[in-house]
Amino acid sequence: MSGDNHAGAAELVTGAQAVIKSLEALGVEVVFGYPGGAIMPAYDPLIDADLQHVLVRHEQGAVHMAEGYAHATGRVGVCIVTSGPAATNLVTGLADAHMDSIPVLAITGQVARSAIGSDAFQEADVTGITMPITKHNELVQSPERIAGAIKEAYHVAQSGRPGPVLVDIPKDVLNATFAWAWPERVDLPGYRPTVRGHGKMIREALQLIAASERPVIYAGGGLVRAGAGEELFAFATRLGLPVVTTLMARGIFPDTHELAVGMPGMHGHYSGVIALQEADLLVTLGARFDDRVTGDLDSFAPHAKVVHVDVDPAEIGKNRAVDVPIVGDVKVVLGQLLKVLDDKDDTAFAPAIDAWREHVRDLKRDHPLRVDQPDTGVLKPQTAIRAVYETWGDEAVYVAGVGQHQMWSAQVIPYTRGRQWINSGGLGTMGFAVPAAIGAKVGVGRDTPVVAIDGDGCFQMTFQELATAVQHDIPVIFCVVNNGYLGMVRQWQHLFYDDRLSQVALPQDCPDLMKIADAYGIPGFRVMTVDELDTTLAKAREITDQPVLVEFRVDPDEMVFPMVPGGASNDDIIESADEWRARLARAGR
């Protein structure tokens, strides 16, 4: 690449060429995008570039694909679109990436500098609009600034707490010619994320653990972002600490291990929710005490002291008071904790908690997930999702949309590694699964199956990206759990609005998903009953060289349990609809 250019021998390039050369210099291999007026100059040098461009069908698809790619690989996902409505179509995805700390670089075209502020055609103040939902953004004002802006943005996206960044480039800047130079280094005064934890806090954390009687590791998505699975496993198993994994952290500690307690939160496993409530110490790693985990914050884990490790100092103490704060990269901090254990006898810090571990095991044994699946006939959604896992197995990456199918997928599949589970956790973006799965598949390659598990409502928001998968030969398995409703909204209306269902019906035959599959030229399979499940999935499993669509017609009355009602205490967790109705009866309602 041109990082060795020097003054005097500088190559003359356009701003558009500088964009592409910058991406190549950063090692970017794929961009997801959609061309248009202001960004059009950048699409000309793209023809000759050493980059794969995936042409999406909607700009929201581009940013979700970039997210899926970043989720699956840990590398920065890149998307490129034009100005105005194209750029504003990125907003949902950028907000999604911001909430879930996903490194995404968005490059947007802008109207010419002379037209900015004039309400020109396809003009929008994109840097202003995206300021609160990006980690960093910049409107580039000169062609000489392009390389530095992109290199800095890329660095910011992947360092510290990862997140989305945006570089907005006016069309006349893209068309201008200048002497190319690639900055040797990134110099951002004031931006130096703390990586190593404070030694005194490290020792205090271990002392709290040693003195605890009911400790739990509260493992969050920051562990996945940091690639800290091995360190977490070593730390938890050496000290024998039970581990709950949040919705964003599923798989970072294997569900198959005896110390795994399950998922906490509104639709978490009973054992995960109650273990946090009863704990006397939370070892919080890369988690943020969000409301879906804590429920009523005042009654959350009322007896617990808190050790909180996070690379973002703004998260520490934001929602819950902390006894031992540790600012730092959670992978590095876990390495520091393990180093202390290496230097001393583990027994110096291992708490005596045999009774607590046995109690947690009892919680798991006595409160399993409940599915009343008949041997024949009606298909329960949990059964369908479990069968999907048994078909594509532990080697696959699973990507979910948002709603009931997302919660069932998080509950019933035993995840065993980080980045095996991808979903929209913080923003809860319906329509996420289809494009994110395509991006993930581009990232992991053809040898690793990628299975999108979507609901019928979510699927209809972004299924036009099936064309992207077909055109670019990206063989994702798209599974649609079709209950004919916006299922989670219906569940809440049933439980909390006296079953007054309002605008939640989505007829199962409209659209006919088999005709959708046929229209896009891909194999389609429909499972109507539990009897058809295994044979149909076996046929779908045989298809590995093109996208495939599998529709499951499931029981529309099935609801997601356990459940902590919105705003309630985690102590009020309910395990079935019958239990909820009994509580209402006792309350005279």
Side-chain angles (χ1 to χ4, degrees), residues 371-383:
V371 183
D372 186 16
Q373 173 63 64
D375 293 335
T376 60
V378 65
L379 176 63
K380 296 290 185 177
Q382 302 97 318
T383 304

Side-chain angles (χ1 to χ4, degrees), residues 123-338:
E123 181 191 0
D125 177 9
V126 176
T127 51
I129 290 169
T130 60
M131 185 176 294
I133 55 169
T134 54
K135 190 177 174 185
H136 164 79
N137 68 24
E138 179 176 347
L139 172 61
V140 176
Q141 296 284 5
S142 70
E144 292 81 4
R145 177 61 192 148
I146 288 175
I150 291 177
K151 185 169 185 175
E152 289 170 7
Y154 194 90
H155 171 72
V156 170
Q158 66 181 347
S159 58
R161 178 178 183 172
V165 296
L166 182 143
V167 177
D168 195 31
I169 310 175
K171 189 171 186 178
D172 62 316
V173 173
L174 291 171
N175 284 327
T177 300
F178 72 107
W180 164 255
W182 178 244
E184 295 297 328
R185 64 188 185 91
V186 171
D187 184 17
L188 294 172
Y191 179 74
R192 292 186 177 82
T194 299
V195 175
R196 287 187 61 80
H198 193 286
K200 180 174 181 291
M201 296 295 104
I202 295 290
R203 291 188 294 276
E204 288 190 9
L206 287 171
Q207 288 163 3
L208 267 188
I209 292 171
S212 65
E213 297 178 351
R214 300 184 305 281
V216 175
I217 292 179
Y218 166 17
L223 288 157
V224 180
R225 303 285 86 78
E230 290 185 11
E231 290 80 1
L232 172 64
F233 186 86
F235 183 69
T237 54
R238 285 180 67 169
L239 295 180
L241 305 180
V243 182
V244 300
T245 49
T246 68
L247 181 66
M248 293 307 299
R250 303 289 291 131
I252 194 65
F253 189 84
D255 287 325
T256 50
H257 196 277
E258 62 179 357
L259 289 173
V261 186
M263 180 174 68
M266 177 175 281
H267 291 292
H269 300 96
Y270 184 92
S271 53
V273 174
I274 298 303
L276 289 184
Q277 286 302 96
E278 295 181 349
D280 69 347
L281 176 65
L282 302 183
V283 183
T284 308
L285 305 174
R288 57 187 178 88
F289 294 92
D290 77 277
D291 62 298
R292 287 295 171 116
V293 167
T294 67
D296 172 42
L297 187 59
D298 291 339
S299 61
F300 173 68
H303 311 296
K305 293 184 177 180
V306 175
V307 174
H308 193 174
V309 181
D310 203 292
V311 73
D312 184 354
E315 287 295 341
I316 294 181
K318 184 177 77 175
N319 294 327
R320 171 70 183 250
V322 176
D323 297 278
V324 178
I326 303 177
V327 178
D329 182 294
V330 70
K331 181 181 178 76
V332 175
V333 171
L334 280 168
Q336 293 177 266
L337 290 162
L338 289 166

Side-chain angles (χ1 to χ4, degrees), residues 5 13 43 57 60 68 79 83 203 227 230 255 266 304 315 334 343 345 372 412 526 564 577:
N5 283 338
V13 301
Y43 270 78
R57 295 303 185 269
Q60 185 178 352
C79 56
S83 63
R203 291 188 294 276
E230 290 185 11
D255 287 325
M266 177 175 281
E315 287 295 341
L334 280 168
D343 293 342
D345 185 348
D372 186 16
V412 306
R526 175 177 289 151
V564 177

Side-chain angles (χ1 to χ4, degrees), residues 512-551:
D512 184 327
L513 296 188
M514 295 303 97
K515 291 181 178 176
I516 292 289
D518 187 54
Y520 285 104
I522 63 175
F525 300 91
R526 175 177 289 151
V527 181
M528 298 289 290
T529 68
V530 68
D531 316 73
E532 304 167 355
L533 192 56
D534 292 339
T535 53
T536 304
L537 284 176
K539 294 176 184 176
R541 179 72 175 82
E542 294 299 315
I543 300 169
T544 60
D545 59 350
Q546 62 177 315
V548 59
L549 176 61
V550 184
E551 178 193 15

Side-chain angles (χ1 to χ4, degrees), residues 42-66:
Y43 270 78
D44 185 69
L46 189 62
I47 295 173
D48 302 316
D50 187 20
L51 288 172
Q52 178 189 2
H53 181 274
V54 177
L55 177 61
V56 303
R57 295 303 185 269
H58 189 282
E59 292 86 355
Q60 185 178 352
V63 65
H64 287 326
M65 288 182 203

